Amino acid sequence: MRYRGILPPILAGLVSAVVGYASSFTVVLAGLRAVGATPAQAASGLLALCLGIAVTAIGLALRYRMPISIAWSTPGAALLVATGHVPGGFPAAVGAFLVSAALMVFAGLSPWLARAIAAIPRPIAGAMLAGVILSLCTAPVRAVVDLPLLATPVILAWAVLFRYARQWAVPGALLAAVIAIAVHGPVGGLSGAELRPAAVLTLPTLNLSVVVSIAVPLFLVTMAAQNVPGMAVMATYGYTPPLRPVLVATGLASAVAAPFGGHAVNLAAITAALTAGPDTHPDPRRRWIATVALGGGQLALGLGASLAMALVLLSPPLLVIAVAGLALLPALGSSLATAVTEPQGREAAVVTFVVTASGMTILGIGSAFWGLLAGGLTALLLHRRRPPISAPSASSVHPSAAAPTSPAPAAEAARP
């Protein structure tokens, strides 16, 4: 029957929505709180992001009949955690979110800007992302020392599931954290919490130092760690979504979500693999249904944003950061590999990583911008033109040297 043909992609879309949400919503809430959001504003931001993902994913899927998965920028949220308090508070951060969204729309309308972003050396981009998320990824270690009764079960659950059911590792760790909070937390902790979803409007303000320390790195890290890998994952399964309309759509969704606390909406990478693969549906022309289901699942999950914020408030902050760090460990591994695998440019990547990971702030501008600047200057300083190589004569070429070399394997897409 016909419904049997759409049931597998619907289930795949719902699973990808749950996995994507549970794997990183703690990172989003921690990031928004770090830049000054109140609990109500952070919950509103999570709700706005879920709505933006739902509308954009469903709209693009219906328009192009492709499983174009949309997500929030997890590396961008990690950037907010690393940035911390900014001059002007959360309204200034919201202003930076709007500038970042405008840059995304401009990248979609202006092909030269997208090419300029793509021209940033991959080792430097990977090193910046690694430096941004390093402090989060060390949080599980600190939590085991400071909160052994709460953190140890969380990490054990993550380790076992990471071995046998990797996609459920972080949701399982989150469930273990919820159980630990229920056992060790205050009785009736959720009784006084406001669990109804509520959108909180924050009027943005523009602060130049905040724009430089948040908007520009947020745009760059979202492009390098979300949109580019997302396109690569789609290409792996034979899809070529139109990048420029996708950038415009996600940029507009980000702009609408920003006044309500949402930081960035973009292409997904991990959930793209869950919805675009052959397990979703044998017929590639039917897999777009999974993205529609993903949008519906995100819409339903967004209605629980206030509950998610209430659970986060019940737990020690370090435990929340520890769960977020577990979610970002694969991204740290991928970004470090991208940064140091290629010998050419390794020194510039290391400089980028060290400066970004230092967490320094100069002139009110965070370390992500300075790391990118320092890495770029180092690359220019160490750049040397290779001397031209004269072609050997045909008689001097060994027969085996004329054989064509096998192509290098395609690089694995970086995961956020």
Side-chain angles (χ1 to χ4, degrees):
M1 297 179 66
R2 187 176 180 85
Y3 75 90
R4 292 181 180 176
I6 66 172
L7 185 59
I10 289 176
L11 291 177
L14 294 177
V15 168
S16 63
V18 172
V19 170
Y21 183 94
S23 297
S24 56
F25 83 89
T26 54
V27 188
V28 173
L29 293 177
L32 295 177
R33 293 278 283 160
V35 294
T38 65
Q41 288 171 328
S44 172
L46 185 61
L47 171 62
L49 290 171
C50 289
L51 293 178
I53 291 170
V55 172
T56 309
I58 293 174
L60 290 175
L62 294 176
R63 171 66 177 83
Y64 296 106
R65 290 297 196 268
M66 295 183 189
I68 305 174
S69 294
I70 304 298
W72 55 55
S73 177
T74 302
L79 170 70
L80 301 182
V81 176
T83 302
H85 178 74
V86 294
F90 193 58
V94 170
F97 298 164
L98 282 172
V99 173
S100 177
L103 289 173
M104 196 66 67
V105 173
F106 190 52
L109 296 176
S110 306
W112 64 265
L113 180 56
R115 288 196 296 266
I117 299 303
I120 296 176
R122 293 181 69 249
I124 290 180
M128 182 183 71
L129 177 58
V132 164
I133 65 179
L134 178 63
S135 62
L136 281 172
C137 292
T138 60
V141 181
R142 301 195 304 271
V144 169
V145 176
D146 296 341
L147 305 167
L149 292 179
L150 293 175
T152 301
V154 172
I155 293 177
L156 288 177
W158 173 85
V160 172
L161 287 171
F162 195 82
R163 169 63 179 85
Y164 295 103
R166 181 169 178 169
Q167 70 271 26
W168 295 104
V170 176
L174 177 64
L175 178 60
V178 171
I179 295 174
I181 294 168
V183 172
H184 299 282
V187 178
L190 292 176
S191 58
E194 178 59 59
L195 303 183
R196 290 179 299 176
V200 178
L201 179 65
T202 301
L203 296 179
T205 61
L206 290 180
N207 183 297
L208 181 60
S209 65
V210 179
V211 168
V212 175
S213 61
I214 289 183
V216 175
L218 177 59
F219 167 67
L220 293 176
V221 79
T222 299
M223 285 291 292
Q226 293 274 182
N227 289 326
V228 173
M231 290 294 292
V233 171
M234 294 289 291
T236 299
Y237 295 104
Y239 298 99
T240 54
L243 177 59
R244 292 175 61 187
V246 169
L247 291 180
V248 171
T250 54
L252 291 176
S254 299
V256 173
F260 299 97
H263 65 293
V265 175
N266 44 250
L267 274 173
I270 297 176
T271 49
L274 294 176
T275 57
D279 292 338
T280 299
H281 197 283
D283 186 356
R285 295 172 298 178
R286 305 286 289 173
R287 295 174 193 167
W288 61 271
I289 299 172
T291 309
V292 175
L294 181 149
Q298 283 286 354
L299 180 62
L301 291 168
L303 299 178
S306 296
L307 174 61
M309 187 70 247
L311 289 173
V312 167
L313 291 176
L314 282 178
S315 64
L318 182 57
L319 185 64
V320 177
I321 300 299
V323 176
L326 293 173
L328 291 171
L329 280 176
L332 178 62
S334 297
S335 56
L336 285 175
T338 300
V340 302
T341 297
E342 301 176 7
Q344 185 177 5
R346 182 176 295 167
E347 294 84 357
V350 170
V351 170
T352 303
F353 171 73
V354 170
V355 174
T356 305
S358 70
M360 69 175 188
T361 299
I362 301 176
L363 301 177
I365 300 173
S367 61
F369 173 81
W370 296 117
L372 188 64
L373 179 62
L377 292 176
T378 303
L380 290 175
L381 178 65
L382 300 180
H383 176 72
R384 297 183 180 90
R385 290 187 177 180
R386 296 182 178 181
I389 301 175
S390 58
S393 61
S395 58
S396 63
V397 178
H398 191 274
S400 62
T405 57
S406 59
E412 180 182 2
R415 294 182 176 180

